[in-house]
């Protein structure tokens, strides 16, 4: 898989060498609508899963195999994920032939890591050799360093170098994700030359979507969709068909930024370049969709303090990532408690204050979370930048004032009816103050974290809640004292 | 853009006709690294945005044009989004030539809708005609029915039929999103035939990624990547190169399920079929990435009750979607208040209870939100199904018990030190009960909504918070009474 780095000769079509992977075509059923096994949401039917489980429990290995055999590799991976560890290993043993590299590539990271750790290094190396470089890197990068070394030692030198090169890029960058298999040709080559070359070529990637045109130093000068090649007469030079304008992805670019570039420019595939501007790989959008999905989905998890939030994460890791935020929340709850404690005498005089105060805090917290969720999403999508922060802050403040006024009227009237008009006025005013505060904090806290180069999704929630809880209790109890209903 | 539906003649290569769109190539700068205008995150530099704003304010239309001209259409769209409504229209007027269909397609939905409503129907129809059908549908589907009718009336009959056909599918389905431009051929055609046809063909889609092989009734029988065609000798029949196994997308499938299929099977493009199994369109992954991103990102917004949560949403709409959830939250906060009110006498005896009770509720709420975020994500990704709900419930309960025990020890010891050991024991026990409840509710509430065919992200939060707030106050105050520290 290592890439040939010498300059191109003039009439040579240069091709990045191939991995041995190759999709195993042909043997699959005619199409993917499988009513017996899949439900209408395209997930495995519970009845099917139970029948596999029953066959496993009964030790009927042949029956298990026959049940699983018609599944798409992605569904075999799903099936493995549905089982508990022990059963999963039994299942894997029963369907060894079906445990193709495609299944392994489709497995959830945690499940794959757990399954790989249970295998000897030689077997993992065999699997890694069948994978494309990018999938092999994913397989290996999460393992312990000792395991990594053991597996790398078992690999072919060529594969080893390719994987080591990929591992030399920081985690979660284009260099880790890119495929080192691509087709690159010099500018003067004609359409006919390239078709002839492709027809006889051995070392071709299985699938490719564009042909990159490079200069003698492997710097990209243009790109050619295969459809343009197919519709162009043989004698036309590629340089006349190609598009010069192309999006180049630096190999050290963070995967989140790569995902945003693919989205923004509607890319299907793109060239990856090293620090010297030389073509070193390509990324196709199918490598990036799971990252788009992960990056977009993780904000909900991060804001709640659930860390990776994967249901396959080992319990120990889930505990340690979540408890951290609960302890942080304990700290912020303490601040709110201290504020309440300042007004202990007031509460003793009028216990209604204790009954009503959580309402002010709770609504403020919810309003703050709404604004924060909107802000975090806008930051993640590069929609909220320094150029429009002021405008968005004003917008959110307006929404907050409308929300605050609405809730204040409802709560104020109800409180006036049940308790006293003065207490109604106090809670209404406290509510407006707190919801307005929530609107400002919901924008300013994530923006501040962003400017400090921190992920705004991670810590904003704790701060916003602290601000709205504290302000809720302080405004309500403070106004109660100021209004003279109670004395401090 | 309408599709030819007669059966195929035997030696005919059938091609879906083309839109007039066609990417305007060539004129753009050499590549997309533009240090003057773009920052390292590939967003527009604030200094650049300010200079556009200054030129606009000074009425220097020529200067505005020169500044904007080198931008990629996606960046022109971003620039328009950064401005307020008034300025946005001024900018659009200053760069009329640069307001290509590509810019319009890249605009945020709200911004596009607002801008289109400001234009006469004839001008919108002109823009729609330049767009691909799927983009034109997106442009038109959000407008009022009157506007839609006026615009459709201005369109070419061919375009009108294509758009009306697309609009006949339900919103957010494959039928709305698919492109009606594709290449479909009968099975016996040879590689040479198709290359010759493509070379002379006029009515080709601009870009295409695969050639669909169909039978005489337009039913798909296989698919051929362009790279396979390019590497195969001219005399081989396409039937021998194609892959029979392909993922077919029903035109009425919800876009969320379409997005999951693209992700699950790593698709680049796929055939869309109607109810009779006939090929009616194709979808490519670049049409789907923004849906993957939206669907994954919206859960954070929905869970917080922020609705669409787009910073470009008009304030009135943002207010009405958010205030609804704040009012709902008011209802659930009331439940918690009623529980506190039951223990009014206890709080009067020991005001420390009022000081400490928000801590129990707050940590429970946080723990519940963590579990809920994990569950909602797993449901969205089809990872949590009926087959493993029990296992995941048990897993989350275990994590909750670990979290609850850790927090209980911390809070219990601190309370024992500041107040009394008995109160420490009471709060510790209440904390364990509440965090355990949070763990169960965090799984069961979204799962219950899912089984009732409701979006689990939308309403789970209100219920989970109500449960953890109420249980927090009830367990803490109830145990305080039960322990005899105070009397009810």
């Amino acid at each position: 898989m290592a890439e040939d780095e010498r300059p191109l000769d003039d009439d040579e079509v240069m091709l990045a060498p191939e991995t041995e992977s190759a999709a195993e075509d042909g043997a699959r059923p005619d199409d993917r609508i499988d009513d017996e096994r899949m439900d209408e949401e395209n997930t495995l039917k519970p009845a099917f899963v139970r029948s596999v489980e029953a066959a496993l429990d009964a030790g009927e290995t042949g029956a298990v195999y026959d049940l699983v055999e018609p599944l798409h590799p992605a569904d075999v991976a799903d099936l493995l994920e549905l089982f508990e560890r022990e059963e999963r290993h039994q299942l894997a043993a029963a369907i060894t032939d079906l445990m193709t590299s495609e299944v392994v590539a489709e497995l959830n990271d945690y499940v794959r890591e757990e399954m790989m750790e249970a295998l000897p290094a030689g077997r993992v190396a065999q699997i890694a050799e069948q994978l494309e470089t990018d999938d092999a890197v994913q397989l290996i990068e999460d393992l312990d360093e000792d395991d990594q070394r053991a597996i790398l030692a078992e690999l072919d030198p060529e594969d080893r170098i390719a994987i080591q090169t990929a591992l030399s890029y920081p985690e979660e960058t284009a260099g880790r994700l890119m495929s080192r298999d691509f087709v690159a040709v010099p500018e003067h080559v004609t359409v006919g030359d390239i078709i002839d070359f492709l027809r006889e070529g051995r070392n071709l990637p299985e699938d490719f979507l564009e042909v990159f045109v490079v200069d003698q130093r492997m710097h990209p000068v243009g790109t050619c969709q295969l459809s343009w090649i197919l519709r162009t007469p043989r004698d036309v030079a590629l340089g006349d068909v190609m598009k010069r304008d192309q999006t180049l992805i630096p190999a050290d670019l963070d995967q989140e930024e790569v995902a945003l570039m693919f989205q923004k420019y509607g890319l299907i595939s793109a060239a990856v370049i090293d620090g010297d501007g030389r073509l070193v790989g390509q990324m196709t959008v199918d490598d990036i969709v799971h990252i788009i999905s992960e990056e977009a989905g993780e904000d909900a998890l991060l804001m709640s303090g659930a860390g990776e939030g994967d249901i396959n994460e080992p319990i120990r890791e889930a505990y340690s990532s979540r408890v951290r935020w609960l302890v942080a929340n304990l700290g912020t709850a303490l601040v709110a408690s201290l504020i309440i404690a300042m007004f202990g005498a007031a509460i003793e005089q009028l216990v209604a204050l204790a009954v009503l105060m959580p309402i002010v805090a709770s609504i403020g917290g919810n309003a703050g979370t709404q604004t924060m969720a909107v802000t975090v999403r806008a930051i993640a999508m590069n929609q909220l930048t320094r150029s429009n922060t002021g405008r968005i802050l004003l917008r959110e403040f307006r929404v907050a004032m409308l929300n605050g006024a609405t809730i204040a009227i409802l709560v104020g009237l109800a409180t006036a009816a049940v308790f006293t008009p003065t207490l109604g006025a106090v809670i209404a005013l406290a509510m407006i103050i707190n919801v307005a505060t929530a609107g400002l904090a919901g924008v300013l806290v994530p923006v501040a974290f962003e400017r400090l180069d921190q992920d705004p999704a991670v810590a904003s929630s704790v701060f916003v809640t602290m601000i709205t809880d504290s302000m809720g209790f302080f405004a309500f109890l403070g106004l109660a004292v100021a209004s003279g209903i109670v004395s401090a």
Side-chain angles (χ1 to χ4, degrees), chain A:
Chain A
M1 290 186 277
E3 182 221 328
D4 193 341
E5 302 202 284
R6 78 199 146 80
L8 294 177
D9 289 343
D10 251 351
D11 35 358
E12 182 184 15
V13 175
M14 146 83 197
L15 296 153
E18 187 195 12
T19 56
E20 288 95 299
S21 103
E24 300 92 289
D25 290 330
R28 280 183 223 148
D30 222 15
D31 75 32
R32 206 155 288 155
I33 295 170
D34 176 350
D35 291 337
E36 196 189 325
R37 293 170 184 82
M38 311 302 288
D39 63 18
E40 68 288 349
E41 288 195 330
N42 203 25
T43 60
L44 297 160
K45 282 191 175 168
F48 170 71
V49 177
R50 274 196 306 273
S51 63
V52 173
E53 204 168 3
L56 261 186
D57 289 347
E60 293 164 2
T61 312
V64 172
Y65 189 96
D66 292 342
L67 281 165
V68 176
E69 200 268 327
L71 291 178
H72 185 277
D75 293 314
V76 177
D78 281 357
L79 182 66
L80 285 160
E81 289 173 23
L82 285 176
F83 286 108
E84 272 191 279
R85 200 179 166 128
E86 298 271 301
E87 282 182 316
R88 188 181 289 152
H89 288 277
Q90 283 173 32
L91 175 57
I95 57 165
T96 317
D97 290 8
L98 303 174
M99 291 292 296
T100 60
S101 58
E102 286 169 295
V103 173
V104 173
E106 291 290 337
L107 278 174
N108 173 280
D109 288 356
Y110 291 105
V111 174
R112 186 174 49 231
E113 192 181 335
E114 183 259 308
M115 293 189 75
M116 290 306 116
E117 279 170 355
L119 293 176
R123 178 76 189 104
V124 178
Q126 274 175 12
I127 295 170
E129 280 183 353
Q130 284 169 4
L131 292 168
E132 310 250 350
T133 321
D134 52 335
D135 290 329
V137 168
Q138 238 196 336
L139 179 76
I140 291 173
E141 69 183 356
D142 290 330
L143 300 178
D144 300 338
E145 248 177 68
D146 287 347
D147 288 344
Q148 283 190 12
R149 245 194 306 275
I151 293 160
L152 286 170
E154 300 271 343
L155 287 174
D156 284 347
E158 214 187 334
D159 291 343
R160 180 165 60 236
I161 291 165
I163 291 175
Q164 280 173 334
T165 311
L167 288 174
S168 72
Y169 289 102
E171 264 189 271
E172 309 206 328
T173 59
R176 288 274 178 116
L177 294 164
M178 71 188 183
S179 158
R180 300 171 64 82
D181 301 330
F182 53 83
V183 181
V185 298
E187 197 165 344
H188 64 85
V189 160
T190 66
V191 166
D193 292 340
I194 189 148
I195 292 182
D196 293 342
F197 185 87
L198 291 175
R199 286 206 183 126
E200 67 197 32
R202 299 245 174 94
N203 264 343
L204 290 177
E206 179 69 14
D207 298 323
F208 53 98
L209 301 168
E210 59 186 324
V211 170
F212 298 109
V213 181
V214 292
D215 67 14
Q216 296 212 341
R217 293 171 308 146
M218 280 298 280
H219 289 190
V221 294
T223 174
C224 224
Q225 298 285 321
L226 300 190
S227 58
W228 307 343
I229 296 177
L230 274 170
R231 66 206 300 185
T232 305
R234 285 183 65 90
D235 54 353
V236 176
L238 227 51
D240 296 329
V241 189
M242 73 181 187
K243 193 166 88 171
R244 290 195 177 270
D245 169 36
Q246 67 176 317
T247 303
L248 302 173
I249 296 180
D252 58 1
L253 194 67
D254 187 82
Q255 64 177 23
E256 188 169 1
E257 297 300 324
V258 176
L260 285 173
M261 282 175 92
F262 267 81
Q263 278 183 265
K264 181 168 177 178
Y265 298 122
L267 304 177
I268 297 275
S269 73
V272 181
I273 51 171
D274 66 12
D276 299 326
R278 290 178 317 164
L279 181 64
V280 290
Q282 73 172 344
M283 299 190 69
T284 48
V285 65
D286 53 324
D287 300 323
I288 220 79
V289 284
H290 72 277
I291 292 168
I292 292 175
S293 166
E294 260 174 43
E295 297 283 347
E298 75 178 9
D299 283 351
L301 298 164
L302 292 175
M303 279 191 268
S304 75
E308 297 276 319
D310 190 297
I311 55 170
N312 296 297
E313 196 181 12
I315 286 185
R316 199 165 27 82
E317 287 177 34
Y319 162 68
S320 90
S321 61
R322 293 196 210 168
V323 80
R324 197 180 318 174
W325 290 107
L326 295 178
V327 172
N329 191 359
L330 200 56
T332 63
L334 196 64
V335 175
S337 287
L338 289 175
I339 288 173
I340 299 172
M342 283 163 47
F343 293 94
I347 292 171
E348 272 178 337
Q349 292 162 58
L350 187 63
V351 78
L353 297 179
V355 172
L356 294 172
M357 65 184 189
I359 298 180
V360 184
S362 169
I363 302 288
N366 193 349
T369 307
Q370 288 179 342
T371 309
M372 179 182 71
V374 173
T375 306
V376 166
R377 179 75 181 147
I379 291 174
M381 297 304 290
N382 278 346
Q383 285 186 308
L384 178 57
T385 70
R386 278 173 194 261
S387 303
N388 62 349
T389 303
R391 180 162 74 84
I392 300 305
L393 185 64
L394 187 63
R395 172 188 188 275
E396 288 299 322
F397 185 70
R398 284 186 186 149
V399 176
M401 289 306 290
L402 288 171
N403 282 335
T406 309
I407 299 292
I409 290 170
L410 291 175
V411 170
L413 290 178
T415 304
V418 176
F419 299 96
T420 65
T422 320
L423 195 56
V426 164
I427 198 170
L429 190 53
M431 193 64 89
I432 290 178
I433 293 172
N434 202 27
V435 173
T437 306
L440 297 177
V443 176
L444 292 175
V445 171
V447 165
F449 277 114
E450 162 76 359
R451 297 215 175 157
L452 296 170
D453 275 330
Q454 302 297 311
D455 185 336
V458 174
S460 293
S461 194
V462 164
F463 281 85
V464 170
T465 310
M466 180 175 77
I467 291 169
T468 55
D469 273 359
S470 306
M471 180 52 86
F473 295 129
F474 181 74
F476 179 57
L477 298 173
L479 285 170
V481 170
S483 72
I485 317 179
V486 288
S487 54

